Amino acid sequence: LIFAPAPAAASFGAADPSLTYVEARAAAINGEHARAAQLLATLADAQPGQPQFAQQALTEAIGAGQMDLALNLMGKIPAAKLSTDARLLLVTDAVKRHQAARALPWLNTGASNADLTFLAPLVNAWDAAERSDEAKAIAALAQIQPRSLLGPLRDEEQALILLKFKKAAEAEPYARRAIGVAGAREAHVRLAMADGFLAAGDRARAAAMVEGMTSDSAAARQRILSGRPSGEAIDTGAKAMSAVLTAFGAELTRLGRSAPPVGLVQVARYANPANSSPTALLALLYDSQGRSDEALALLSTISQNDALISQVRDVQVRILTNKKRYNEAYAIATTAAQAP
């Protein structure tokens, strides 16, 4: 997903903006979203009085995971006209930089699209936690409304925040409830909790978190049992944001009531590039759009040592089987079966 613009295209765009726009649209239709974003950004620079070019460039850039370009485009668009994905990116970027005060205004800009203020408790809680203010962090979590989109994840966040402060005994009931409602995210949540308990110095409770994990997660489970973290810890605001946005993206994908949430999932990846879950989800979204080669290329970037590699292999096999590439699917399935 790296864009390398052809010199001819760049000079061509400068000479004839209308043809550059056609080229950009053609690139988007062909799935070359990074190239489309760059071409549209060139038009936005050349014609600042036409904000629609910046808006289209921003949409393409976020969808292609070109977040540096996307962030540079934000200033060319009125705040009230920024898309939900764009505002989530601004929030996430601020959270990554430990700047909650800069993140919060983007949750509600008066725009006609989604009100994101339900995320304020999450931003505030982790900002306080990272500043070692336990009381303020817990108080912020208490502001999560049970019926809000964040409501089903409240126990999970409560456990993670308590573990941040090494309150293992207090965290345990919340952790168990979070695992119980995690659904398809269960393996990730179990490992995140286990890592949290290890960081809190409680190996017994860490081991309890991975009891009952399926055999295809044996390697990750063994890491925990030997006292080594799995690498799935959620101990910063950025990691928490990545996990939450991934959960939202998975639910939207399951419901299938709107366009595939590619932009949302790309923001989740930006929040925590080490989190393989949004990358696997993005691969499934690409495959659903007929972009199987891109999906497989994306999955190949995930380390074979990733704690959730078994789930990644499952996605690879599913995509290859759907494309009738049975020999490749069998080879991956065999590798998975032979893994420790």
Side-chain angles (χ1 to χ4, degrees), residues 24-60:
R25 297 309 304 150
I29 291 170
N30 290 331
E32 300 175 65
H33 297 284
R35 175 172 169 75
Q38 189 64 53
L39 288 166
L40 288 164
T42 300
L43 282 177
D45 288 337
Q47 301 190 39
Q50 302 291 327
Q52 71 270 21
F53 292 139
Q55 288 177 301
Q56 292 176 32
L58 178 58
T59 298
E60 294 290 349

Side-chain angles (χ1 to χ4, degrees), residues 40-302:
L40 288 164
T42 300
L43 282 177
D45 288 337
Q47 301 190 39
Q50 302 291 327
Q52 71 270 21
F53 292 139
Q55 288 177 301
Q56 292 176 32
L58 178 58
T59 298
E60 294 290 349
I62 293 175
Q66 302 288 304
M67 298 314 190
D68 288 342
L69 175 58
L71 290 166
N72 286 334
L73 287 162
M74 297 288 189
K76 303 178 188 295
I77 303 169
K81 293 188 176 181
L82 289 173
S83 67
T84 300
D85 288 344
R87 289 162 53 214
L88 281 173
L89 175 57
L90 286 167
V91 171
T92 298
D93 185 64
V95 168
K96 288 184 70 172
R97 298 174 189 274
H98 309 286
Q99 297 174 346
R102 186 166 68 87
L104 293 171
W106 292 112
L107 296 176
N108 187 3
T109 61
S112 59
N113 52 30
D115 180 357
L116 302 174
T117 51
F118 69 90
L119 288 170
L122 180 76
V123 174
N124 286 326
W126 279 100
D127 178 64
E130 291 183 290
R131 297 176 188 276
S132 301
D133 189 336
E134 181 182 354
K136 188 174 181 180
I138 296 301
L141 289 178
Q143 299 302 310
I144 296 176
Q145 298 300 312
R147 294 186 179 182
S148 77
L149 290 176
L150 202 55
L153 301 177
R154 179 174 174 174
D155 284 338
E156 183 175 331
E157 299 305 320
Q158 188 89 16
L160 294 169
I161 291 287
L162 287 169
L163 289 171
K164 177 82 171 174
F165 290 98
K166 303 188 184 304
K167 300 290 184 67
E170 292 179 42
E172 183 178 9
Y174 295 104
R176 289 188 178 279
R177 285 201 295 269
I179 290 170
V181 299
R185 300 175 57 244
E186 182 179 336
H188 185 205
V189 175
R190 281 183 178 276
L191 292 174
M193 295 301 171
D195 280 3
F197 280 110
L198 285 179
D202 194 328
R203 287 184 62 172
R205 285 190 170 93
M209 294 298 106
V210 297
E211 288 180 2
M213 290 188 75
T214 58
S215 59
D216 59 2
S217 299
R221 181 174 180 273
Q222 188 56 44
R223 287 188 210 177
I224 299 298
L225 295 179
S226 64
R228 294 179 294 128
S230 69
E232 297 299 312
I234 300 175
D235 52 10
T236 68
K239 290 180 181 179
M241 184 66 74
S242 178
V244 166
L245 296 183
T246 302
F248 290 167
E251 182 64 10
L252 287 171
T253 301
R254 184 186 69 81
L255 293 173
R257 295 175 183 171
S258 59
V262 170
L264 173 65
V265 177
Q266 288 284 27
V267 176
R269 294 180 71 217
Y270 176 71
N272 180 16
N275 183 4
S276 63
S277 294
T279 298
L281 177 56
L282 183 62
L284 286 172
L285 295 178
Y286 279 175
D287 185 53
S288 72
Q289 297 174 323
R291 301 162 63 184
S292 58
D293 289 339
E294 288 179 73
L296 292 168
L298 190 63
L299 292 170
S300 71
T301 67
I302 298 174

